[in-house]
Amino acid sequence: MAVFLSPVGGVAAQFFDNNGNPLTGGKIYTYAAGTTTNQATYTSSSGATAHSNPIILDSAGRVPGGEIWLSALQYKFVTKTSADVTIGTYDNVSGIGAASYQVDNFTGTGSQTVFTLSSASLGENFTFVYINGVYQNKNTYSVASATLTFSEAPPLTSLVEVMYN
C-alpha cells in the first residue's frame, strides 16, 4: 500500500498543551475527513503497521516511533489532552505528496464533443486534459460539474485522458 507522510505530526514532531508544556499522554484521534469514523494511520513508510487510534503521545509529547503516515485518503485529526480536552481539530488533511486527482479515460470518436466524467470537477483550473499524451490548452474545452465539453471533437480513436479533482 502506498502511504504518505502526514503534515500533522509527520516526523519527530512534538505536541504541546495550550500553556506550552509537552502534551504528555496527549491523544491524536484520526478520522475520515468530515466524519467521526476512525481511519487508520501507519507507523512507517511501509504502511505495514497501523497506529493505535487514538495515538497516545509519550512523556515528551511525541508520537511513539516518531512518525505518522497516511493512506491516499483524506483525514480529520483531533488532538486532545490526556483528560480528553480538545486542543485542536484539523480537517481535510492529505498526506504529503498524496494525489487527490480522479482520472477518466475516453476514446475519441471524431465527432463526440461532450464527455461525462465519473464525478464532478471543480472546473478548468482543477482539470488537466491530454489527447494522445499531449496537454490540451484550457481554451479548447470547458468543464461544468461532471461534463467536459470540447470546442472540437477529439480525433477518431484518440486516447482522451482527464485528470481532475
Side-chain angles (χ1 to χ4, degrees):
M1 165 188 359
V3 292
F4 304 90
L5 188 62
S6 173
V8 177
V11 176
Q14 187 173 24
F15 292 83
F16 300 91
D17 65 18
N18 290 332
N19 296 317
N21 300 311
L23 192 58
T24 302
K27 301 173 185 178
I28 302 174
Y29 292 85
T30 58
Y31 305 107
T35 74
T36 56
T37 302
N38 287 345
Q39 188 160 281
T41 61
Y42 300 91
T43 61
S44 72
S45 62
S46 72
T49 305
H51 273 291
S52 63
N53 197 355
I55 299 168
I56 307 299
L57 303 176
D58 67 16
S59 60
R62 297 188 197 290
V63 172
E67 299 177 4
I68 300 176
W69 292 82
L70 309 178
S71 70
L73 303 171
Q74 288 194 323
Y75 286 75
K76 177 168 81 174
F77 284 78
V78 178
T79 57
K80 296 186 176 193
T81 66
S82 59
D84 277 328
V85 175
T86 299
I87 292 177
T89 299
Y90 312 94
D91 208 349
N92 297 307
V93 175
S94 295
I96 297 169
S100 60
Y101 284 92
Q102 172 80 28
V103 178
D104 287 340
N105 290 300
F106 305 98
T107 301
T109 65
S111 61
Q112 181 181 359
T113 59
V114 178
F115 296 83
T116 303
L117 303 174
S118 299
S119 53
S121 171
L122 297 174
E124 285 94 1
N125 289 336
F126 298 95
T127 303
F128 304 93
V129 178
Y130 300 85
I131 297 177
N132 292 328
V134 177
Y135 174 76
Q136 301 300 296
N137 290 323
K138 295 189 185 305
N139 65 353
T140 64
Y141 63 88
S142 63
V143 179
S145 187
T147 302
L148 168 67
T149 305
F150 285 98
S151 55
E152 292 184 25
L156 180 65
T157 69
S158 60
L159 173 62
V160 179
E161 181 179 46
V162 184
M163 293 176 39
Y164 60 97
N165 67 5

